[in-house]
mmCIF file with all atom_site columns, all heavy atoms in Angstrom:
data_model
loop_
_atom_site.group_PDB
_atom_site.id
_atom_site.type_symbol
_atom_site.label_atom_id
_atom_site.label_alt_id
_atom_site.label_comp_id
_atom_site.label_asym_id
_atom_site.label_entity_id
_atom_site.label_seq_id
_atom_site.pdbx_PDB_ins_code
_atom_site.Cartn_x
_atom_site.Cartn_y
_atom_site.Cartn_z
_atom_site.occupancy
_atom_site.B_iso_or_equiv
_atom_site.pdbx_formal_charge
_atom_site.auth_seq_id
_atom_site.auth_comp_id
_atom_site.auth_asym_id
_atom_site.auth_atom_id
_atom_site.pdbx_PDB_model_num
ATOM 1   N N   . MET A 1 8   ? -78.882  40.481 11.974 1.00 0.00 ? 8   MET A N   1
ATOM 2   C CA  . MET A 1 8   ? -79.180  41.904 12.211 1.00 0.00 ? 8   MET A CA  1
ATOM 3   C C   . MET A 1 8   ? -79.582  42.483 10.877 1.00 0.00 ? 8   MET A C   1
ATOM 4   O O   . MET A 1 8   ? -78.878  42.332 9.872  1.00 0.00 ? 8   MET A O   1
ATOM 5   C CB  . MET A 1 8   ? -77.965  42.619 12.752 1.00 0.00 ? 8   MET A CB  1
ATOM 6   C CG  . MET A 1 8   ? -78.178  44.079 13.005 1.00 0.00 ? 8   MET A CG  1
ATOM 7   S SD  . MET A 1 8   ? -76.706  44.797 13.794 1.00 0.00 ? 8   MET A SD  1
ATOM 8   C CE  . MET A 1 8   ? -77.237  46.465 13.990 1.00 0.00 ? 8   MET A CE  1
ATOM 9   N N   . GLY A 1 9   ? -80.727  43.153 10.866 1.00 0.00 ? 9   GLY A N   1
ATOM 10  C CA  . GLY A 1 9   ? -81.187  43.782 9.644  1.00 0.00 ? 9   GLY A CA  1
ATOM 11  C C   . GLY A 1 9   ? -82.416  44.611 9.914  1.00 0.00 ? 9   GLY A C   1
ATOM 12  O O   . GLY A 1 9   ? -82.807  44.826 11.037 1.00 0.00 ? 9   GLY A O   1
ATOM 13  N N   . ARG A 1 18  ? -100.723 37.564 15.661 1.00 0.00 ? 18  ARG A N   1
ATOM 14  C CA  . ARG A 1 18  ? -101.921 36.710 15.671 1.00 0.00 ? 18  ARG A CA  1
ATOM 15  C C   . ARG A 1 18  ? -101.949 35.953 16.976 1.00 0.00 ? 18  ARG A C   1
ATOM 16  O O   . ARG A 1 18  ? -101.021 36.036 17.760 1.00 0.00 ? 18  ARG A O   1
ATOM 17  C CB  . ARG A 1 18  ? -101.847 35.700 14.504 1.00 0.00 ? 18  ARG A CB  1
ATOM 18  C CG  . ARG A 1 18  ? -101.823 36.357 13.139 1.00 0.00 ? 18  ARG A CG  1
ATOM 19  C CD  . ARG A 1 18  ? -101.728 35.327 12.014 1.00 0.00 ? 18  ARG A CD  1
ATOM 20  N NE  . ARG A 1 18  ? -100.782 34.233 12.249 1.00 0.00 ? 18  ARG A NE  1
ATOM 21  C CZ  . ARG A 1 18  ? -99.493  34.249 11.943 1.00 0.00 ? 18  ARG A CZ  1
ATOM 22  N NH1 . ARG A 1 18  ? -98.958  35.319 11.414 1.00 0.00 ? 18  ARG A NH1 1
ATOM 23  N NH2 . ARG A 1 18  ? -98.727  33.211 12.195 1.00 0.00 ? 18  ARG A NH2 1
ATOM 24  N N   . ARG A 1 35  ? -75.662  41.026 2.797  1.00 0.00 ? 35  ARG A N   1
ATOM 25  C CA  . ARG A 1 35  ? -74.500  40.129 2.874  1.00 0.00 ? 35  ARG A CA  1
ATOM 26  C C   . ARG A 1 35  ? -73.244  40.980 3.023  1.00 0.00 ? 35  ARG A C   1
ATOM 27  O O   . ARG A 1 35  ? -73.211  42.136 2.645  1.00 0.00 ? 35  ARG A O   1
ATOM 28  C CB  . ARG A 1 35  ? -74.414  39.269 1.608  1.00 0.00 ? 35  ARG A CB  1
ATOM 29  C CG  . ARG A 1 35  ? -75.586  38.304 1.515  1.00 0.00 ? 35  ARG A CG  1
ATOM 30  C CD  . ARG A 1 35  ? -75.415  37.399 0.355  1.00 0.00 ? 35  ARG A CD  1
ATOM 31  N NE  . ARG A 1 35  ? -76.614  36.539 0.242  1.00 0.00 ? 35  ARG A NE  1
ATOM 32  C CZ  . ARG A 1 35  ? -76.812  35.680 -0.754 1.00 0.00 ? 35  ARG A CZ  1
ATOM 33  N NH1 . ARG A 1 35  ? -75.903  35.568 -1.693 1.00 0.00 ? 35  ARG A NH1 1
ATOM 34  N NH2 . ARG A 1 35  ? -77.888  34.950 -0.771 1.00 0.00 ? 35  ARG A NH2 1
ATOM 35  N N   . PHE A 1 37  ? -70.537  40.809 1.487  1.00 0.00 ? 37  PHE A N   1
ATOM 36  C CA  . PHE A 1 37  ? -69.732  40.923 0.272  1.00 0.00 ? 37  PHE A CA  1
ATOM 37  C C   . PHE A 1 37  ? -70.632  41.310 -0.895 1.00 0.00 ? 37  PHE A C   1
ATOM 38  O O   . PHE A 1 37  ? -71.847  41.135 -0.845 1.00 0.00 ? 37  PHE A O   1
ATOM 39  C CB  . PHE A 1 37  ? -69.031  39.597 -0.034 1.00 0.00 ? 37  PHE A CB  1
ATOM 40  C CG  . PHE A 1 37  ? -69.949  38.419 -0.033 1.00 0.00 ? 37  PHE A CG  1
ATOM 41  C CD1 . PHE A 1 37  ? -70.630  38.056 -1.206 1.00 0.00 ? 37  PHE A CD1 1
ATOM 42  C CD2 . PHE A 1 37  ? -70.214  37.699 1.117  1.00 0.00 ? 37  PHE A CD2 1
ATOM 43  C CE1 . PHE A 1 37  ? -71.475  36.970 -1.207 1.00 0.00 ? 37  PHE A CE1 1
ATOM 44  C CE2 . PHE A 1 37  ? -71.061  36.602 1.119  1.00 0.00 ? 37  PHE A CE2 1
ATOM 45  C CZ  . PHE A 1 37  ? -71.699  36.245 -0.055 1.00 0.00 ? 37  PHE A CZ  1
ATOM 46  N N   . ASP A 1 51  ? -87.418  35.154 7.058  1.00 0.00 ? 51  ASP A N   1
ATOM 47  C CA  . ASP A 1 51  ? -88.683  35.117 7.829  1.00 0.00 ? 51  ASP A CA  1
ATOM 48  C C   . ASP A 1 51  ? -88.381  34.740 9.272  1.00 0.00 ? 51  ASP A C   1
ATOM 49  O O   . ASP A 1 51  ? -87.556  33.878 9.554  1.00 0.00 ? 51  ASP A O   1
ATOM 50  C CB  . ASP A 1 51  ? -89.625  34.046 7.222  1.00 0.00 ? 51  ASP A CB  1
ATOM 51  C CG  . ASP A 1 51  ? -90.132  34.451 5.856  1.00 0.00 ? 51  ASP A CG  1
ATOM 52  O OD1 . ASP A 1 51  ? -90.299  35.650 5.602  1.00 0.00 ? 51  ASP A OD1 1
ATOM 53  O OD2 . ASP A 1 51  ? -90.385  33.540 5.031  1.00 0.00 ? 51  ASP A OD2 1
ATOM 54  N N   . GLU A 1 60  ? -95.305  39.629 21.440 1.00 0.00 ? 60  GLU A N   1
ATOM 55  C CA  . GLU A 1 60  ? -96.027  40.847 21.812 1.00 0.00 ? 60  GLU A CA  1
ATOM 56  C C   . GLU A 1 60  ? -95.103  42.050 21.824 1.00 0.00 ? 60  GLU A C   1
ATOM 57  O O   . GLU A 1 60  ? -95.451  43.125 21.381 1.00 0.00 ? 60  GLU A O   1
ATOM 58  C CB  . GLU A 1 60  ? -96.705  40.666 23.161 1.00 0.00 ? 60  GLU A CB  1
ATOM 59  C CG  . GLU A 1 60  ? -97.872  39.675 23.105 1.00 0.00 ? 60  GLU A CG  1
ATOM 60  C CD  . GLU A 1 60  ? -98.458  39.378 24.467 1.00 0.00 ? 60  GLU A CD  1
ATOM 61  O OE1 . GLU A 1 60  ? -97.890  39.771 25.499 1.00 0.00 ? 60  GLU A OE1 1
ATOM 62  O OE2 . GLU A 1 60  ? -99.522  38.722 24.479 1.00 0.00 ? 60  GLU A OE2 1
ATOM 63  N N   . TYR A 1 65  ? -93.307  47.297 19.641 1.00 0.00 ? 65  TYR A N   1
ATOM 64  C CA  . TYR A 1 65  ? -92.221  48.267 19.570 1.00 0.00 ? 65  TYR A CA  1
ATOM 65  C C   . TYR A 1 65  ? -91.491  48.328 18.228 1.00 0.00 ? 65  TYR A C   1
ATOM 66  O O   . TYR A 1 65  ? -90.700  49.249 17.996 1.00 0.00 ? 65  TYR A O   1
ATOM 67  C CB  . TYR A 1 65  ? -91.212  48.019 20.676 1.00 0.00 ? 65  TYR A CB  1
ATOM 68  C CG  . TYR A 1 65  ? -91.775  48.298 22.034 1.00 0.00 ? 65  TYR A CG  1
ATOM 69  C CD1 . TYR A 1 65  ? -91.974  47.275 22.964 1.00 0.00 ? 65  TYR A CD1 1
ATOM 70  C CD2 . TYR A 1 65  ? -92.207  49.570 22.401 1.00 0.00 ? 65  TYR A CD2 1
ATOM 71  C CE1 . TYR A 1 65  ? -92.509  47.514 24.195 1.00 0.00 ? 65  TYR A CE1 1
ATOM 72  C CE2 . TYR A 1 65  ? -92.732  49.823 23.644 1.00 0.00 ? 65  TYR A CE2 1
ATOM 73  C CZ  . TYR A 1 65  ? -92.886  48.789 24.546 1.00 0.00 ? 65  TYR A CZ  1
ATOM 74  O OH  . TYR A 1 65  ? -93.406  49.044 25.781 1.00 0.00 ? 65  TYR A OH  1
ATOM 75  N N   . THR A 1 67  ? -91.414  48.433 13.962 1.00 0.00 ? 67  THR A N   1
ATOM 76  C CA  . THR A 1 67  ? -92.179  48.796 12.767 1.00 0.00 ? 67  THR A CA  1
ATOM 77  C C   . THR A 1 67  ? -91.279  48.623 11.546 1.00 0.00 ? 67  THR A C   1
ATOM 78  O O   . THR A 1 67  ? -90.071  48.419 11.668 1.00 0.00 ? 67  THR A O   1
ATOM 79  C CB  . THR A 1 67  ? -92.654  50.259 12.835 1.00 0.00 ? 67  THR A CB  1
ATOM 80  O OG1 . THR A 1 67  ? -91.522  51.099 13.010 1.00 0.00 ? 67  THR A OG1 1
ATOM 81  C CG2 . THR A 1 67  ? -93.645  50.475 13.966 1.00 0.00 ? 67  THR A CG2 1
ATOM 82  N N   . ARG A 1 77  ? -83.327  30.186 16.903 1.00 0.00 ? 77  ARG A N   1
ATOM 83  C CA  . ARG A 1 77  ? -82.893  28.947 16.256 1.00 0.00 ? 77  ARG A CA  1
ATOM 84  C C   . ARG A 1 77  ? -83.509  28.856 14.873 1.00 0.00 ? 77  ARG A C   1
ATOM 85  O O   . ARG A 1 77  ? -84.572  29.411 14.597 1.00 0.00 ? 77  ARG A O   1
ATOM 86  C CB  . ARG A 1 77  ? -83.304  27.746 17.113 1.00 0.00 ? 77  ARG A CB  1
ATOM 87  C CG  . ARG A 1 77  ? -84.784  27.588 17.266 1.00 0.00 ? 77  ARG A CG  1
ATOM 88  C CD  . ARG A 1 77  ? -85.109  26.391 18.198 1.00 0.00 ? 77  ARG A CD  1
ATOM 89  N NE  . ARG A 1 77  ? -86.503  26.391 18.563 1.00 0.00 ? 77  ARG A NE  1
ATOM 90  C CZ  . ARG A 1 77  ? -87.477  25.864 17.805 1.00 0.00 ? 77  ARG A CZ  1
ATOM 91  N NH1 . ARG A 1 77  ? -87.183  25.297 16.647 1.00 0.00 ? 77  ARG A NH1 1
ATOM 92  N NH2 . ARG A 1 77  ? -88.720  25.913 18.199 1.00 0.00 ? 77  ARG A NH2 1
ATOM 93  N N   . THR A 1 84  ? -98.118  21.811 3.154  1.00 0.00 ? 84  THR A N   1
ATOM 94  C CA  . THR A 1 84  ? -98.736  21.520 1.878  1.00 0.00 ? 84  THR A CA  1
ATOM 95  C C   . THR A 1 84  ? -99.483  22.761 1.401  1.00 0.00 ? 84  THR A C   1
ATOM 96  O O   . THR A 1 84  ? -100.283 23.301 2.141  1.00 0.00 ? 84  THR A O   1
ATOM 97  C CB  . THR A 1 84  ? -99.688  20.321 1.979  1.00 0.00 ? 84  THR A CB  1
ATOM 98  O OG1 . THR A 1 84  ? -98.965  19.208 2.533  1.00 0.00 ? 84  THR A OG1 1
ATOM 99  C CG2 . THR A 1 84  ? -100.228 19.924 0.625  1.00 0.00 ? 84  THR A CG2 1
ATOM 100 N N   . ARG A 1 91  ? -94.259  21.559 0.414  1.00 0.00 ? 91  ARG A N   1
ATOM 101 C CA  . ARG A 1 91  ? -93.322  22.689 0.422  1.00 0.00 ? 91  ARG A CA  1
ATOM 102 C C   . ARG A 1 91  ? -92.532  22.681 1.705  1.00 0.00 ? 91  ARG A C   1
ATOM 103 O O   . ARG A 1 91  ? -92.961  22.118 2.710  1.00 0.00 ? 91  ARG A O   1
ATOM 104 C CB  . ARG A 1 91  ? -94.090  24.013 0.298  1.00 0.00 ? 91  ARG A CB  1
ATOM 105 C CG  . ARG A 1 91  ? -95.139  24.036 -0.797 1.00 0.00 ? 91  ARG A CG  1
ATOM 106 C CD  . ARG A 1 91  ? -94.554  24.337 -2.108 1.00 0.00 ? 91  ARG A CD  1
ATOM 107 N NE  . ARG A 1 91  ? -94.416  25.767 -2.150 1.00 0.00 ? 91  ARG A NE  1
ATOM 108 C CZ  . ARG A 1 91  ? -93.912  26.434 -3.147 1.00 0.00 ? 91  ARG A CZ  1
ATOM 109 N NH1 . ARG A 1 91  ? -93.463  25.803 -4.194 1.00 0.00 ? 91  ARG A NH1 1
ATOM 110 N NH2 . ARG A 1 91  ? -93.836  27.745 -3.131 1.00 0.00 ? 91  ARG A NH2 1
ATOM 111 N N   . PRO A 1 122 ? -73.247  55.884 23.197 1.00 0.00 ? 122 PRO A N   1
ATOM 112 C CA  . PRO A 1 122 ? -72.422  56.954 23.727 1.00 0.00 ? 122 PRO A CA  1
ATOM 113 C C   . PRO A 1 122 ? -71.677  57.681 22.640 1.00 0.00 ? 122 PRO A C   1
ATOM 114 O O   . PRO A 1 122 ? -71.405  57.151 21.590 1.00 0.00 ? 122 PRO A O   1
ATOM 115 C CB  . PRO A 1 122 ? -71.453  56.235 24.672 1.00 0.00 ? 122 PRO A CB  1
ATOM 116 C CG  . PRO A 1 122 ? -71.786  54.805 24.644 1.00 0.00 ? 122 PRO A CG  1
ATOM 117 C CD  . PRO A 1 122 ? -72.904  54.587 23.663 1.00 0.00 ? 122 PRO A CD  1
ATOM 118 N N   . ALA A 1 123 ? -71.352  58.946 22.916 1.00 0.00 ? 123 ALA A N   1
ATOM 119 C CA  . ALA A 1 123 ? -70.623  59.764 21.963 1.00 0.00 ? 123 ALA A CA  1
ATOM 120 C C   . ALA A 1 123 ? -69.191  59.227 21.828 1.00 0.00 ? 123 ALA A C   1
ATOM 121 O O   . ALA A 1 123 ? -68.758  58.341 22.557 1.00 0.00 ? 123 ALA A O   1
ATOM 122 C CB  . ALA A 1 123 ? -70.617  61.210 22.425 1.00 0.00 ? 123 ALA A CB  1
ATOM 123 N N   . TYR A 1 127 ? -67.967  58.796 26.071 1.00 0.00 ? 127 TYR A N   1
ATOM 124 C CA  . TYR A 1 127 ? -68.560  59.785 26.981 1.00 0.00 ? 127 TYR A CA  1
ATOM 125 C C   . TYR A 1 127 ? -69.756  60.391 26.321 1.00 0.00 ? 127 TYR A C   1
ATOM 126 O O   . TYR A 1 127 ? -69.737  60.769 25.160 1.00 0.00 ? 127 TYR A O   1
ATOM 127 C CB  . TYR A 1 127 ? -67.536  60.885 27.328 1.00 0.00 ? 127 TYR A CB  1
ATOM 128 C CG  . TYR A 1 127 ? -68.162  61.999 28.115 1.00 0.00 ? 127 TYR A CG  1
ATOM 129 C CD1 . TYR A 1 127 ? -68.356  61.855 29.474 1.00 0.00 ? 127 TYR A CD1 1
ATOM 130 C CD2 . TYR A 1 127 ? -68.583  63.168 27.527 1.00 0.00 ? 127 TYR A CD2 1
ATOM 131 C CE1 . TYR A 1 127 ? -68.949  62.862 30.209 1.00 0.00 ? 127 TYR A CE1 1
ATOM 132 C CE2 . TYR A 1 127 ? -69.169  64.184 28.246 1.00 0.00 ? 127 TYR A CE2 1
ATOM 133 C CZ  . TYR A 1 127 ? -69.342  64.013 29.590 1.00 0.00 ? 127 TYR A CZ  1
ATOM 134 O OH  . TYR A 1 127 ? -69.963  65.009 30.326 1.00 0.00 ? 127 TYR A OH  1
ATOM 135 N N   . PRO A 1 130 ? -74.404  64.254 30.411 1.00 0.00 ? 130 PRO A N   1
ATOM 136 C CA  . PRO A 1 130 ? -75.543  63.847 31.209 1.00 0.00 ? 130 PRO A CA  1
ATOM 137 C C   . PRO A 1 130 ? -76.832  64.470 30.675 1.00 0.00 ? 130 PRO A C   1
ATOM 138 O O   . PRO A 1 130 ? -76.830  65.644 30.308 1.00 0.00 ? 130 PRO A O   1
ATOM 139 C CB  . PRO A 1 130 ? -75.255  64.383 32.623 1.00 0.00 ? 130 PRO A CB  1
ATOM 140 C CG  . PRO A 1 130 ? -73.813  64.793 32.610 1.00 0.00 ? 130 PRO A CG  1
ATOM 141 C CD  . PRO A 1 130 ? -73.410  64.996 31.205 1.00 0.00 ? 130 PRO A CD  1
ATOM 142 N N   . PRO A 1 134 ? -78.771  71.137 33.405 1.00 0.00 ? 134 PRO A N   1
ATOM 143 C CA  . PRO A 1 134 ? -79.017  72.463 32.812 1.00 0.00 ? 134 PRO A CA  1
ATOM 144 C C   . PRO A 1 134 ? -77.835  72.892 31.953 1.00 0.00 ? 134 PRO A C   1
ATOM 145 O O   . PRO A 1 134 ? -76.696  72.606 32.258 1.00 0.00 ? 134 PRO A O   1
ATOM 146 C CB  . PRO A 1 134 ? -79.182  73.372 34.043 1.00 0.00 ? 134 PRO A CB  1
ATOM 147 C CG  . PRO A 1 134 ? -78.867  72.566 35.255 1.00 0.00 ? 134 PRO A CG  1
ATOM 148 C CD  . PRO A 1 134 ? -78.724  71.142 34.834 1.00 0.00 ? 134 PRO A CD  1
ATOM 149 N N   . PHE A 1 150 ? -55.378  68.626 28.726 1.00 0.00 ? 150 PHE A N   1
ATOM 150 C CA  . PHE A 1 150 ? -54.560  67.451 28.381 1.00 0.00 ? 150 PHE A CA  1
ATOM 151 C C   . PHE A 1 150 ? -53.783  67.705 27.127 1.00 0.00 ? 150 PHE A C   1
ATOM 152 O O   . PHE A 1 150 ? -53.951  68.609 26.398 1.00 0.00 ? 150 PHE A O   1
ATOM 153 C CB  . PHE A 1 150 ? -55.415  66.203 28.203 1.00 0.00 ? 150 PHE A CB  1
ATOM 154 C CG  . PHE A 1 150 ? -56.636  66.397 27.353 1.00 0.00 ? 150 PHE A CG  1
ATOM 155 C CD1 . PHE A 1 150 ? -56.554  66.217 25.991 1.00 0.00 ? 150 PHE A CD1 1
ATOM 156 C CD2 . PHE A 1 150 ? -57.852  66.751 27.888 1.00 0.00 ? 150 PHE A CD2 1
ATOM 157 C CE1 . PHE A 1 150 ? -57.679  66.378 25.209 1.00 0.00 ? 150 PHE A CE1 1
ATOM 158 C CE2 . PHE A 1 150 ? -58.963  66.943 27.115 1.00 0.00 ? 150 PHE A CE2 1
ATOM 159 C CZ  . PHE A 1 150 ? -58.885  66.745 25.759 1.00 0.00 ? 150 PHE A CZ  1
#
Side-chain angles (χ1 to χ4, degrees):
M8 180 175 180
R18 298 179 317 272
R35 294 186 184 174
F37 52 89
D51 293 328
E60 290 174 351
Y65 294 114
T67 57
R77 64 183 169 84
T84 305
R91 312 278 278 178
Y127 174 79
F150 48 89

